[in-house]
Amino acid sequence: MQILFRPLGGKPDLAPWLERETWEATRPREERLVRENAYTGIVGREPPGEPMQAGLHRALAEVVFSYRAFPESLVTPNLLRTPLESGDTVGTQYHLFPGIDLFFASRVLETFDAPQDGIWRTGFTYTTIVEHPVMGSETFSVEKNLTTGEITVALRSWSQPITRLARFFAIPCRILQARAGRAAVERLRKLAEELRCSTDDASTIPQSA
């Protein structure tokens, strides 16, 4: 993990993380320390059936695949490309305090965009890389009920503190994780509301002859 002091010119560097292994590949879980979280929210609706090409589901999926689910005030992404693909390294610049950031990285294990058990799920799962303060994985997804058209956003994860520092600050780390998860769902909810409003406004504009 890098600690960045922005007033002193501190900037994130993704390069050292690109060749590192993931924590899960190098160490087993300690079940007594594992914490599972799930943050979900219903954000809108489309007509039943597959996601609409220019609809809410696809618009939110684009945000997810560019790693912009978290509010900009909380996280700045550091990526080599978008949309994310399997094997990509994802840098997270977490704004801890004014002028002080934490920087760490994860690797995309899989991406998905397909129906399963009546739900169309679009998103990705990543796992943390060695020197990240916690070992674990997180799944970001936009989910559409094919019968009702209801659209849900979700972040589901498991993690355990792995470095000495993270173990010592285990409770604050969990608080920060919970803060980020809730903030991401709330941001996606607000984006969905803005998208619906812009669509409604556009529908009221008279069409030229």
Side-chain angles (χ1 to χ4, degrees):
M1 180 178 66
Q2 296 172 272
I3 300 177
L4 308 175
F5 297 94
R6 278 183 284 137
L8 300 179
K11 295 182 179 180
D13 183 7
L14 189 62
W17 299 85
L18 299 178
E19 302 302 323
R20 291 175 186 161
E21 296 185 52
T22 60
W23 272 129
E24 195 170 7
T26 59
R27 296 183 63 164
R29 300 187 194 184
E30 296 179 51
E31 296 298 336
R32 64 185 180 86
L33 298 176
V34 170
R35 182 178 179 85
E36 296 186 1
N37 291 302
Y39 304 98
T40 64
I42 299 170
V43 296
R45 190 181 301 272
E46 289 182 354
E50 295 185 9
M52 298 172 61
Q53 190 60 37
L56 182 60
H57 180 104
R58 291 297 179 198
L60 294 178
E62 183 178 350
V63 174
V64 166
F65 276 115
S66 61
Y67 197 51
R68 292 185 290 116
F70 297 109
E72 295 177 0
S73 61
L74 191 63
V75 169
T76 297
N78 193 298
L79 311 175
L80 295 179
R81 64 177 172 184
T82 58
L84 290 170
E85 296 181 12
S86 180
D88 285 354
T89 300
V90 179
T92 301
Q93 185 176 351
Y94 188 97
H95 306 308
L96 184 63
F97 300 115
I100 302 176
D101 297 342
L102 304 179
F103 185 72
F104 36 78
S106 306
R107 185 157 297 125
V108 178
L109 293 178
E110 66 167 343
T111 63
F112 47 86
D113 183 24
Q116 183 178 10
D117 299 327
I119 304 294
W120 193 291
R121 300 175 65 246
T122 306
F124 69 91
T125 298
Y126 66 24
T127 190
T128 55
I129 294 174
V130 170
E131 293 195 22
H132 190 295
V134 303
M135 178 173 75
S137 65
E138 187 165 32
T139 298
F140 298 74
S141 64
V142 182
E143 304 171 357
K144 178 178 180 179
N145 186 306
L146 298 177
T147 301
T148 67
E150 189 173 78
I151 296 173
T152 300
V153 294
L155 276 74
R156 302 182 179 92
S157 66
W158 71 267
S159 64
Q160 71 174 72
I162 198 71
T163 64
R164 289 183 179 180
L165 189 63
R167 286 170 180 263
F168 185 79
F169 291 103
I171 293 177
C173 282
R174 288 174 178 173
I175 292 172
L176 292 176
Q177 286 177 310
R179 174 194 176 199
R182 295 191 185 100
V185 170
E186 179 61 15
R187 170 171 161 78
L188 291 171
R189 185 193 65 77
K190 288 182 178 179
L191 287 175
E193 184 175 341
E194 291 173 6
L195 288 166
R196 290 198 303 272
C197 288
S198 65
T199 300
D200 291 343
D201 290 344
S203 67
T204 65
I205 299 174
Q207 299 297 312
S208 58

